[in-house]
Amino acid sequence: MKKRLMAMLMAAVMAVSLTACGGGGSSAGSDSSGGDGKAKIGLSMPTQSLERWNRDGAYLEEQFQNAGYDTILTYSDNDSGKQVNDIQNMLADGADLLVIAAIDGEALNTALDEAAEAGVPVIAYDRLIKNDAVSYYVSFDNYTVGTLQGQFVIDKLDLDNTDKTYNMEFTAGDPADNNAGYFFNGAFDTLKPYIDSGKLNVVSGQKDFNTVATEQWNTDVALERAQNILGSYYADGTQLNVWLCSNDSTALGVAQAIESDYKGNNDIIITGQDGDEANLKNIVDGKQTMTVYKNVSNECIATLDLVNGILDDKTIDQDFIDKAGWEFDCVYDTTSYQTSDGNNCNSLLLVPAVITKDNLQDLVDTGLYTMGDDGYLSVAQ
């Protein structure tokens, strides 16, 4: 009761001094803590059905506990209503700060309003939440993820130095995930000049995000759509050259469709993102060409240090990042992302990397993967 009372008394102060997405460059700390004297951090992850969120959740929990925090880790089964309940339960359980990877950011307004009323800071983790209750956004530069995929296609086909034309298709991510649009737009904007010039031909004509989106990033949904496209536009022997997929789970479905339904025998460029085990195996086997890798450990390190800074009442800016001594690049960005009310969201943006068959060792060097004698990678235990 004392803790909740203190949180309520602090709410007015927090509204002014805590940097929300529409605020300045500093953040007020929190003096509240769990019953054992440790600050309690709520970690709300969207699902365990995608490999990457299992990695993020487990690694975040491990890092925060090693740093002396109590943690509450939940997975919400891609159910926005469940995530709202999970967050409300975290607040009732005395969470001092929330780290949320949203299923659908717009569905969390009620829970985030409650967090703001209680004076509990919120970090949007990896996926932007367009609510002014959010103090900071920690992610990779999601538009750059798409530009890396698009540039990979340009370089692989040498589009700037050829008169050849190539056929391609797009598969994007979950329309409820704010990041999905950034991934797709980064790729499409990069490739648009070549589409406009005719060097790249989207045979199906499906080029807008809503048409190529994949609900919940589901592999089977991506598989079914790919099969329909192959059956409708490529069954006559038309050659497919590129399938740009926004992430690995959708790329997995597209690769399965191509293996079972494509009539040609040429190599096809397939992009992805995340570094999932099954997709890394496909890269080794030549069934997927590349993936954009976002180092989970780096994202967690940035989040942990940000939480420390918030709770220690430090000013969060580029100088804070530079002094952190991270062995990875990160930019403090105050203009690229906005809330639903049009306020800028203070963001810590890490830089992703392109992984192909030629540099798989880079993943092993992170310590997060191991490579077997067969050349396949596994997530380190």
Side-chain angles (χ1 to χ4, degrees), residues 138-152:
V138 179
S139 187
F140 285 79
D141 188 333
N142 295 313
Y143 187 84
T144 295
V145 170
T147 64
L148 288 173
Q149 294 172 335
Q151 190 61 49
F152 181 88

Side-chain angles (χ1 to χ4, degrees), residues 5 48 56 77 119 128 178 216 248 255 262 266 272-273 296 361:
L5 177 60
Q48 288 184 295
D56 284 71
D77 305 326
L128 181 63
N178 184 76
Q216 295 185 355
D248 280 350
Y262 180 58
N266 59 297
Q273 173 195 180
V296 171
Q361 184 62 39

